[in-house]
């Protein structure tokens, strides 16, 4: 029989095991992704809606063909509402005294002309207060002495060493001293503003407006010329607009602006104020211009931030500053849950594709589009929201 010796067979087995181990060390482990998306679909494949002619009629879909129009050049800048100079007043204490009333007076409260805001009880000068304090102390000492004399007169009468007349005179002196002390204390309280006595001066609102700031608390002692309250008339307000200096020459002398609240309220016309431009902000290349806005309903408050749309002329200061731009009706624009802007474009009969757009600004009821659609595209206006609901299952 032909067979290998046992030692040789063991040696070959050992070499085979070492070879396999070396190969396994050189192999790298295969990376496995923690997640995998199967059958990925592009966004464009999800944005086409096909409907029947009956559904198109039921949804009331109307379209418009986009074209390039000449649009007025504008700037949207921030502004700050201010009280008209001369229509804001600061009330001060005319004399030293104690304030009465005013507990309900708060910033933002409306007041009317002639309304009493405070009652001021005047205080005498310090030297007069010192004299009153000394007079009260003297009356107190006199009463103490009179009571001691009365007690002595009663003791002498009890010991049969005094007379009834002396006791009666002592009683009269005590009564007089008590009355003098009461009068002195009443004068001191009235002059110190600690009682309802004294001639109070009414502090009245000189105009109808809004309380901007309350500087003192009620029932406090104030000195002469202490600021009490600040009022502002708001039937008209100014809007301060920091405008880029390069745009100042493109702003017409009689050019009005549109002033809008930041919460999206109705816009109001701001008329230029005949006042010099007030300086420039260091490092920002802006200068302040002012516009007056009618505010009879007091919708704007001093310090409020607003949005201001400024129409600009050409660079040379002539012309209306219009430029070609692609616009879409405001009714065509839709927003998704994350704030993305979309429109529906008709790509075939009864076929609408949702396309993302980027709106630059609003001009009346039109929106200037910077990208997303081209001139000639047929965009849905009426029925765009219904298509949006149909695409995402909100309409049937």
């Amino acid at each position: 029989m032909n067979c290998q010796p046992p030692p040789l067979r063991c040696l070959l087995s050992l070499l085979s095991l070492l070879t396999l181990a070396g190969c396994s060390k050189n192999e790298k482990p295969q990376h496995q992704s923690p997640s995998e998306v199967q059958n990925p679909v592009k966004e464009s494949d999800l944005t086409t809606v096909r409907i029947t002619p009956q559904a198109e009629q039921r949804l009331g879909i109307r379209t418009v063909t986009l074209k390039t129009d000449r649009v007025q050049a504008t700037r949207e800048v921030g502004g700050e509402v201010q009280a008209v100079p001369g229509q804001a007043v600061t009330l001060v204490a005319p004399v030293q005294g104690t304030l009465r009333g005013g507990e309900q007076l708060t910033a933002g409260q409306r007041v009317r002309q002639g309304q009493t805001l405070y009652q001021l009880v005047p205080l005498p000068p310090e030297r007069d207060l010192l004299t009153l304090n000394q007079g009260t102390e003297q009356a107190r000492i006199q009463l103490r002495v009179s009571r001691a004399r009365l007690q002595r007169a009663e003791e002498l009468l009890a010991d049969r060493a005094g007379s009834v007349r002396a006791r009666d005179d002592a009683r009269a002196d005590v009564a007089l001293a008590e009355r003098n002390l009461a009068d002195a204390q009443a004068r001191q309280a009235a002059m110190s503003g600690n009682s309802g006595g004294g001639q109070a001066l009414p502090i009245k609102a000189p105009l109808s407006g809004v309380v901007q700031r309350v500087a003192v608390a009620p029932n406090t002692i104030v000195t002469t010329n202490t600021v009490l309250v600040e009022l502002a008339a708001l039937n008209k307000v100014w809007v301060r607009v920091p405008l880029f200096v390069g745009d100042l020459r493109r702003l017409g002398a009689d050019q009005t602006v549109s002033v809008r609240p930041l919460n999206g309220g109705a816009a109001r016309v701001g008329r230029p104020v005949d006042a010099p431009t007030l300086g420039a902000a260091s490092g920002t290349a802006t200068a302040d211009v002012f516009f007056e806005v009618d505010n009879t309903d007091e919708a704007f408050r001093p310090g409020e931030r607003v949005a201001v749309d400024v129409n600009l002329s050409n660079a040379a200061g002539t012309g209306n500053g219009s430029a070609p731009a692609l616009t879409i009706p405001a009714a065509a624009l839709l927003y998704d849950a994350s704030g993305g802007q979309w429109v529906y474009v008709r790509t075939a009969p009864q076929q609408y594709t949702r396309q993302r757009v980027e709106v630059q600004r609003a001009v009346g009821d039109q929106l200037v589009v910077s990208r997303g659609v081209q001139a000639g595209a047929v965009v849905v206006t009426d029925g765009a929201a219904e298509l949006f609901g149909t695409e995402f299952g909100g309409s049937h």
Side-chain angles (χ1 to χ4, degrees), residues 199-216:
Q199 185 66 33
L201 300 177
I203 306 297
K204 298 183 178 181
L207 50 80
S208 297
V210 173
V211 177
Q212 287 191 274
R213 185 172 71 96
V214 178
V216 295

Side-chain angles (χ1 to χ4, degrees), residues 51 56 346-352:
I51 59 177
E56 186 178 50
R346 188 173 66 186
T347 55
Q350 289 83 50
Q351 179 174 308
Y352 301 93

Side-chain angles (χ1 to χ4, degrees), residues 114-129:
Q115 178 180 341
T116 299
L117 306 180
Y118 294 102
Q119 294 283 349
L120 181 63
V121 180
L123 292 176
E126 293 184 1
R127 60 178 180 274
D128 294 340
L129 283 176

